[in-house]
């Protein structure tokens, strides 16, 4: 069963995540968010699908481009607001666990660290984003 869950959430998830978090000025397409959040309704709440999802979202949030960061934050919001109710406990637990875990790709920073989110893009167009997040 674990392999089936992983198969459903890996390659397709990666493709949809890349499309949803493109660093452009277009909003996230509803069909991409619905596909990502829809996974929570297809898989039983007994299985934790969030490790891969949250790690991929964090990698997008930690990118330098502020548009990618905002899109990833929006997707995380939609997972928490619109995901299947029986998955909410798993999402919350996995998020808490990752916040205590060091991200090996980011010089000892932990996953979902707000300082990492603020250290990205320093262009003039990103200034409102940085002020909003501060």
């Amino acid at each position: 069963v674990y392999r089936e869950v992983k198969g459903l959430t890996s390659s397709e998830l990666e493709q949809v995540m890349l499309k949803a978090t493109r660093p452009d000025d277009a909003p996230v397409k509803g069909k991409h968010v619905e596909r990502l959040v829809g996974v929570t309704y297809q898989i039983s709440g007994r299985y934790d699908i969030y490790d891969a999802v949250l790690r991929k979202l964090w990698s997008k949030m930690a990118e330098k481009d502020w548009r990618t960061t905002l899109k990833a934050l929006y997707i995380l919001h939609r997972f928490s607001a619109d995901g299947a109710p029986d998955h909410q406990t798993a999402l919350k637990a996995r998020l808490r666990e990752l916040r205590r875990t060091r991200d090996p790709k980011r010089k000892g920073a932990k996953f979902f660290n707000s300082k990492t989110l603020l250290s990205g893009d320093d262009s003039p167009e990103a200034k409102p984003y940085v002020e909003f997040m501060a």
Side-chain angles (χ1 to χ4, degrees), residues 33-101:
V33 175
E34 289 170 15
R35 182 67 193 117
L36 291 167
V37 173
V39 169
T40 65
Y41 289 92
Q42 296 171 355
I43 299 171
S44 170
R46 297 182 313 198
Y47 303 105
D48 179 8
I49 62 169
Y50 288 109
D51 189 59
V53 169
L54 291 174
R55 287 175 188 268
K56 287 180 192 325
L57 277 175
W58 172 245
S59 72
K60 293 299 180 181
M61 286 179 204
E63 286 185 10
K64 295 283 185 199
D65 192 288
W66 64 275
R67 297 168 299 185
T68 301
T69 301
L70 277 179
K71 288 178 180 184
L73 284 167
Y74 173 70
I75 292 168
L76 177 60
H77 166 73
R78 290 290 303 271
F79 265 112
S80 65
D82 301 332
D86 60 336
H87 278 269
Q88 297 305 310
T89 304
L91 173 62
K92 188 175 179 180
R94 181 60 65 185
L95 193 55
R96 280 186 176 157
E97 182 182 325
L98 284 173
R99 285 185 54 92
R100 293 188 300 262
T101 305

